[in-house]
């Protein structure tokens, strides 16, 4: 099953490699991993998307908790949560028809055109991973020049929070 | 403003304030500022090894025997990489150790400088935690944290990487009394509700079994375990790492379990209906085939490391906490409980166990012609009253030592159980002897293992560490040979030891006493003679039976009930 694990860890050199190293050393899957500092500069917030049986996910959360740099952790998939991912995609758009079609699709998916040249559009889009996948599939075949995705960032719904 | 001290002085002061007795080390460019400070002091005492691997094993042996953290100091680059095997050894067996590695000065880091290696990166997968000190003002706190992390919770090795310029920089010194790490809060007390449930389940058992591991030794809980087990009257088995936590000569002890465990221990595991696992981690050498593991049992697992619980085997009652605290709580409940174990059921269970015991699975064929390795260990146990500190290397001799030396006290049996590190035994024995100069310290080894760290015989001479080396020399990597005999149709690929040194002359060349024994009749007198030479290191080169195998054996991936006895092999 797919799980989204959010964690707070010390914003220290090597903390990311401890997490990444744990996943490779123990043979766990990482679908995506994002990390950035929080409003408290001493801590970073990480979102990991992984797959595994219940037993494997239990081990993943226990092993992550065991890392000295990990302050707190929550498996967001255990309750209602929000996921968002940012994507930048560069799309070929040479003639008027192509430009019109790409702009129309981008609007439908609530994307924004960030950059325009005579040959291409660069579109910004946020959403769940599924929505971004759907947009890429909707684009005309072979029009996609380049895709960059941030990986999933997750947060729980309601009052619950992951705080130090 | 207080007086400013250089990083190197601060380092030494920290170790003094931490109460460190010994530093096992080897100097080099990146740690010369520190060595210049060590030149001025007698305490802690620096023990110069001959290879950095030896330093880690010696510090590890010291830590296992005393319960105090072992301390290692090495230089950057190769000095640091040579410690990896020793660090991984300590990590697998949860041994508290703090390893200080030199590093090139900060401005050179990342430049492929002379003797530069990414110590933090290279040790990361085999340490509990590691640090690089990047500001001299953090030095004392980092050292305090390192000792705190190494010795608390589930213990383990911690590496502190010290760039050379940090040891030259200055600041005021104050050693923190304690440290608070917001991301590291090991649980110590077990959950009272879970403990109550566990005691109730144990009291209802009809075929109970207690399986205890190295965690009991590490947490100094042998006394509690013994009292608890005796109060219940239940059978108990120890893992390889747990030997000595319950007296081996006690009738309730059914021997070691697992791949080379006793018939009675393994069969009782297979048939039990309630299993109390305490300070053990269900290692594959213990469980065998997980599908066939304890098929009838409800399992209670007590461990300080939540990640050890339900890692390999699903558990019915998990209890996270220090095994000593949990045992104390369980003892208190047991004493106040009106319920008692079912006497009839227990009697029937013991009757069954005694039948398995009657198989006498550790019996071996005696010989007047050739020395049986088991016989040497039995004699050593007899002559030392089962009270010596015994270290071992890895292989057949290790298993025979575990089977035939009857450990009645914890911390007497010192071996590399998890990583299985050949070369561990002799340097580890030196660490033990430093801690306990008055005690008998024996290293049981094989000729393949011993040569892996043979250079430490020089260290033994320099610091006058008269250990006894019991060399079971069968001219084979015995355990490899045994597997090749059983599972590779006797194709003995590269498991023979050709061109062995003359161990007697080799020992003499290092300034010690060497003896060779080839006849079974001379074993006892040679051991006596060696043990009586209190002030000399003695190596006895026992020329043993080349084809002897370790029995019983559960082949990898088999169940406890598929145990092979020597008689089975002969029939097959």
């Amino acid at each position: 099953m797919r799980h989204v694990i959010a964690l707070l860890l010390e914003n220290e050199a090597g903390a990311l490699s401890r997490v990444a190293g744990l996943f490779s050393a123990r043979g766990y899957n990482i679908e995506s991993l994002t990390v950035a500092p929080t409003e408290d500069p001493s801590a970073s917030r990480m979102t990991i998307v992984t797959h595994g049986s219940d037993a494997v996910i239990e081990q993943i959360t226990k092993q992550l908790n065991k890392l000295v740099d990990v302050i707190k952790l929550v498996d967001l998939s255990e309750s209602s949560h929000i996921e968002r991912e940012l994507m930048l995609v560069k799309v070929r758009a040479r003639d008027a028809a192509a430009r019109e079609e790409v702009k129309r699709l981008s609007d439908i998916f609530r994307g924004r055109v960030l950059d325009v040249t005579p040959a291409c559009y660069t579109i910004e889009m946020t959403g769940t991973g599924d929505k971004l996948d759907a947009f890429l599939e909707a684009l005309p075949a072979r029009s996609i020049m380049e895709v960059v995705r941030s990986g999933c960032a997750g947060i729980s719904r309601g009052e619950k929070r992951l705080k130090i | 403003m207080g007086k400013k001290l250089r990083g190197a002085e601060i380092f030494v002061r920290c170790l003094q304030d931490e109460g460190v007795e010994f530093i096992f080390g080897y100097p080099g460019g990146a740690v010369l500022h520190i060595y210049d400070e060590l030149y001025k002091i007698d305490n802690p005492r620096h023990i110069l090894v001959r290879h950095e691997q030896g330093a880690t094993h010696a510090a590890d042996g010291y830590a296992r025997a005393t319960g105090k953290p072992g301390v290692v100091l090495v230089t950057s680059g190769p000095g640091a990489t040579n410690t990896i095997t020793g660090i991984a050894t300590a990590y697998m067996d949860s041994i508290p150790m703090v390893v200080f590695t030199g590093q090139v000065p900060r401005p050179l880091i990342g430049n492929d400088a002379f003797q530069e290696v990414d110590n933090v990166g290279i040790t990361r997968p085999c340490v509990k935690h590691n640090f690089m000190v990047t500001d001299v003002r953090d030095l004392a706190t980092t050292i305090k944290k390192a000792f705190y992390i190494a010795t608390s919770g589930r213990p383990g090795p911690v590496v502190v990487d010290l760039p050379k310029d940090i040891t030259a920089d200055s600041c005021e010194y104050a050693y923190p009394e304690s440290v608070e790490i917001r991301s590291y809060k090991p649980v110590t007390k077990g959950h009272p509700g879970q403990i109550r449930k566990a005691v109730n389940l144990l009291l209802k058992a009809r075929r109970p079994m207690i399986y205890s591991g190295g965690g009991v030794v590490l947490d100094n809980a042998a006394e509690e375990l013994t009292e608890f087990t005796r109060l219940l009257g239940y059978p108990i088995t120890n893992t390889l790492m747990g030997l000595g936590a319950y007296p081996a000569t006690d009738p309730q002890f059914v021997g070691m379990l697992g791949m080379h465990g006793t018939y009675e221990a393994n069969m009782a595991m297979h048939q039990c209906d309630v299993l109390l696992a305490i300070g053990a981690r269900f290692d594959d050498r213990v469980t065998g085939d997980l599908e066939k593991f304890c098929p009838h049992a409800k399992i209670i697992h007590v461990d300080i490391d939540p990640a050890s619980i339900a890692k390999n085997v699903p558990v019915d009652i998990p209890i996270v906490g220090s095994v000593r605290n949990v045992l104390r709580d369980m003892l208190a409940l047991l004493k106040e409980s009106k319920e008692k174990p079912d006497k009839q059921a227990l009697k029937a269970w013991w009757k069954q166990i005694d039948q398995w015991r009657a198989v006498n699975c550790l019996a071996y064929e005696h010989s007047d012609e050739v020395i049986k390795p088991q016989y040497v260990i039995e004699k050593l146990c007899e002559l030392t009253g089962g009270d010596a500190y015994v270290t071992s290397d890895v292989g057949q001799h290790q298993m025979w030592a575990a089977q035939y030396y009857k450990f009645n006290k914890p911390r007497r049996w010192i071996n590399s159980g998890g990583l299985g590190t050949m070369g561990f035994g002799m340097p580890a024995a030196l660490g033990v002897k430093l801690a306990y100069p008055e005690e008998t310290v024996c290293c049981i080894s094989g000729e393949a293992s011993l040569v892996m760290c043979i250079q430490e015989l020089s260290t033994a001479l320099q610091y006058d560490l008269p250990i006894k080396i019991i060399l079971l020399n069968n001219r084979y990597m015995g355990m490899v040979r045994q597997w090749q005999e059983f599972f590779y149709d006797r194709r003995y690929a590269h498991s023979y030891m050709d061109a062995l040194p003359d161990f007697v002359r080799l020992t003499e060349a290092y300034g010690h006493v060497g003896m060779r024994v080839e006849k079974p009749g001379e074993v006892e007198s040679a051991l006596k003679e060696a043990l009586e030479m209190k002030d000399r290191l003695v190596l006895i080169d026992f020329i043993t039976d080349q084809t002897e195998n370790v029995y019983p054996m559960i082949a990898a991936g088999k169940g406890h009930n598929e145990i092979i006895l020597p008689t089975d092999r002969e029939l097959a």
Side-chain angles (χ1 to χ4, degrees):
Chain A
M1 224 185 84
R2 179 176 178 273
H3 285 253
V4 181
I5 297 169
L7 48 141
L8 284 168
L9 69 165
E10 296 292 350
N11 187 9
E12 297 215 5
L16 169 62
S17 67
R18 289 182 212 280
V19 174
L22 171 70
F23 275 75
S24 64
R26 294 189 182 266
Y28 304 141
N29 293 308
I30 300 185
E31 191 181 293
S32 77
L33 184 158
T34 69
V35 61
T38 61
E39 76 283 8
D40 172 353
S42 71
S44 296
R45 166 94 176 212
M46 185 181 275
T47 308
I48 300 171
V49 180
T50 182
H51 286 269
S53 65
D54 288 352
V56 168
I57 298 297
E58 183 184 329
Q59 264 301 303
I60 290 176
T61 55
K62 283 174 166 179
Q63 294 291 348
L64 283 169
N65 262 319
K66 206 168 137 179
L67 293 175
V68 171
D69 281 339
V70 171
I71 305 164
K72 263 188 180 172
L73 171 163
V74 63
D75 182 352
L76 292 174
S77 337
E78 282 177 351
S79 58
S80 178
H81 68 283
I82 299 163
E83 291 175 31
R84 282 297 177 271
E85 184 174 357
L86 169 71
M87 175 168 76
L88 302 175
V89 52
K90 198 172 280 184
V91 186
R92 236 175 234 111
R94 285 181 198 279
D95 53 59
R99 294 174 87 86
E100 180 56 29
E101 173 66 0
V102 168
K103 178 71 174 75
R104 203 172 57 82
L105 277 172
S106 168
D107 287 345
I108 293 171
F109 281 86
R110 296 188 191 162
R112 285 204 303 154
V113 179
L114 295 182
D115 186 44
V116 177
T117 75
C120 72
Y121 282 167
T122 300
I123 298 159
E124 172 198 23
M125 189 172 292
T126 60
T128 62
D130 286 351
K131 175 188 156 182
L132 304 186
D133 290 343
F135 177 64
L136 291 175
E137 270 178 41
L139 284 169
R142 289 190 287 171
S143 69
I144 299 168
M145 296 166 69
E146 192 178 348
V147 176
V148 51
R149 297 171 68 151
S150 66
C152 165
I155 196 164
S156 58
R157 284 190 185 274
E159 305 295 308
K160 267 198 296 190
R161 55 193 197 144
L162 182 63
K163 279 286 276 184
I164 296 167
Chain B
M1 280 276 283
K3 188 172 167 262
K4 285 193 171 183
L5 299 184
R6 290 205 317 164
E9 286 174 81
I10 291 173
F11 173 84
V12 168
R13 288 277 296 274
C14 285
L15 297 196
Q16 288 174 335
D17 288 346
E18 191 59 42
V20 173
E21 288 178 288
F22 300 104
I23 304 170
F24 299 89
Y26 203 103
V31 286
L32 281 181
H33 295 324
I34 293 174
Y35 271 84
D36 199 40
E37 290 303 318
L38 292 176
Y39 187 76
K40 301 169 191 166
I41 58 159
D42 297 322
N43 176 39
R45 197 168 158 215
H46 182 270
I47 305 298
L48 176 68
V49 294
R50 297 303 184 269
H51 185 290
E52 290 86 350
Q53 184 183 345
T56 53
H57 293 331
D60 183 328
Y62 169 86
R64 288 179 203 238
T66 62
K68 295 184 239 174
V71 175
V72 175
L73 172 63
V74 297
T75 193
S76 64
T81 56
N82 279 345
T83 62
I84 300 296
T85 301
I87 293 170
T89 304
Y91 182 62
M92 286 292 270
D93 291 341
S94 312
I95 305 305
M97 196 151 95
V98 180
V99 178
F100 295 97
T101 53
Q103 183 54 276
V104 301
R106 280 171 301 166
L108 290 183
I109 289 175
N111 282 2
D112 302 323
F114 177 65
Q115 292 194 330
E116 180 186 0
V117 74
D118 172 12
N119 293 341
V120 168
I122 219 167
T123 56
R124 197 194 63 232
C126 60
V127 292
K128 185 168 172 187
H129 196 59
N130 59 17
F131 297 95
M132 181 196 279
V133 181
T134 52
D135 186 325
V136 70
R137 288 167 297 182
D138 297 334
L139 180 57
T141 313
T142 305
I143 292 175
K144 184 73 198 175
K145 280 183 184 171
F147 279 97
Y148 171 57
I149 292 170
T151 53
S152 56
R154 179 179 179 174
V158 176
V159 166
V160 182
D161 201 27
L162 301 167
K164 188 172 185 180
D165 53 332
I166 296 287
T167 61
D169 287 355
S170 304
C171 74
E172 280 177 55
Y173 171 70
Y175 196 60
E177 298 241 320
S178 63
V179 278
E180 176 78 10
I181 304 173
R182 64 176 172 179
S183 57
Y184 175 74
K185 308 258 184 245
V187 176
T188 54
K189 288 294 276 182
H191 187 279
Q194 292 290 88
I195 292 173
R196 189 169 292 278
K197 267 162 74 181
V199 170
N200 287 341
L201 180 62
L202 275 168
L203 285 169
K204 288 195 173 58
R206 299 184 65 78
R207 297 186 310 280
M209 186 70 179
I210 300 172
Y211 142 56
S212 84
V216 177
V217 178
L218 292 168
D219 206 21
N220 299 315
E223 216 174 288
E224 287 82 356
L225 176 72
T226 306
E227 190 185 349
F228 182 74
T229 307
R230 285 189 176 146
L231 201 60
L232 284 167
Y234 291 176
I236 179 168
T237 178
N238 288 163
T239 67
L240 179 68
M241 295 309 299
L243 293 174
Y246 190 86
T249 52
D250 186 282
Q252 277 172 252
F253 186 64
V254 295
M256 181 171 78
L257 83 165
M259 183 172 272
H260 293 296
T262 64
Y263 184 66
E264 50 271 35
N266 285 317
M267 291 306 283
M269 288 292 285
H270 192 75
Q271 296 294 345
C272 70
D273 69 345
V274 173
L275 178 70
L276 170 64
I278 183 146
R281 61 183 178 89
F282 296 82
D283 175 80
D284 57 279
R285 289 296 197 257
V286 158
T287 61
D289 184 355
L290 288 172
E291 296 292 317
K292 296 173 188 158
F293 179 76
C294 294
H296 315 290
K298 288 239 183 274
I299 300 176
I300 304 159
H301 189 185
V302 183
D303 205 286
I304 194 144
D305 176 13
S308 281
I309 296 179
K311 182 176 68 179
N312 300 332
V313 171
V315 169
D316 299 283
I317 305 181
I319 302 173
V320 179
S322 110
V323 296
R324 189 152 70 141
N325 287 340
V326 173
L327 274 168
R328 282 179 179 173
D329 292 349
M330 292 209 292
L331 257 172
L333 279 181
L334 202 58
K335 282 177 181 168
E336 73 188 31
S337 170
K338 288 190 187 70
E339 206 174 335
K340 298 289 165 216
D342 182 332
K343 272 193 182 151
Q344 286 307 314
L346 197 56
K347 203 174 158 195
W349 179 226
W350 272 114
K351 197 175 158 199
Q352 169 67 74
I353 290 170
D354 286 337
Q355 280 171 11
W356 290 323
R357 220 175 224 168
V359 168
N360 199 9
C361 68
L362 292 179
Y364 59 93
E365 217 173 299
H366 286 265
S367 165
D368 294 331
E369 300 297 316
V370 59
I371 298 174
K372 293 287 181 178
Q374 301 95 322
Y375 174 72
V376 178
I377 304 202
E378 278 184 332
K379 279 291 152 202
L380 179 71
C381 182
E382 200 181 299
L383 292 170
T384 54
D387 203 28
Y389 284 85
V390 176
T391 73
S392 91
D393 278 297
V394 170
Q396 287 186 318
H397 68 269
Q398 176 190 26
M399 292 300 118
W400 285 318
Q403 291 174 329
Y404 295 92
Y405 199 99
K406 303 299 177 193
F407 294 96
N408 283 326
K409 292 179 190 164
R411 299 195 180 276
R412 290 293 198 275
W413 167 236
I414 287 163
N415 82 128
S416 167
L419 196 68
T421 307
M422 291 169 74
F424 171 82
M426 194 255 285
L430 302 182
V432 179
K433 190 70 184 170
L434 275 162
Y436 300 120
E438 302 304 320
E439 302 284 339
T440 303
V441 180
C442 301
C443 166
I444 296 173
S445 189
E447 79 290 345
S449 284
L450 186 68
V451 295
M452 285 205 182
C453 278
I454 193 79
Q455 73 286 345
E456 301 309 329
L457 283 175
S458 279
T459 310
L461 185 72
Q462 182 171 348
Y463 299 99
D464 189 17
L465 301 171
I467 61 166
K468 308 296 172 235
I469 300 172
I470 313 301
L471 179 59
L472 301 176
N473 183 346
N474 62 358
R475 287 84 71 215
Y476 269 113
M477 290 160 215
M479 192 57 91
V480 173
R481 192 206 57 74
Q482 177 168 343
W483 281 54
Q484 288 171 333
E485 179 187 333
F486 288 12
F487 311 119
Y488 296 88
D489 217 6
R490 300 177 190 236
R491 291 185 298 277
Y492 298 127
H494 306 284
S495 54
Y496 65 99
M497 294 298 285
D498 213 356
L500 278 170
D502 177 334
F503 282 100
V504 172
R505 284 165 61 198
L506 181 66
T507 309
E508 287 167 359
Y510 275 106
H512 305 294
V513 180
M515 293 159 66
R516 179 165 299 116
V517 179
E518 296 179 68
K519 293 274 171 285
E522 295 161 7
V523 168
E524 187 167 352
S525 56
L527 281 170
K528 266 189 192 155
E529 194 186 334
L531 290 166
E532 274 161 18
M533 274 188 257
K534 297 263 181 232
D535 54 349
R536 296 298 299 274
L537 183 151
V538 185
L539 177 147
I540 316 179
D541 183 15
F542 290 101
I543 307 301
T544 61
D545 188 345
Q546 281 199 283
T547 56
E548 194 63 39
N549 288 321
V550 180
Y551 290 110
M553 178 169 186
I554 301 169
K558 297 285 186 181
H560 282 155
N561 57 335
E562 295 169 284
I563 188 165
I564 310 168
L565 297 170
T567 43
D568 300 330
R569 284 289 299 178
E570 279 153 26
L571 293 172

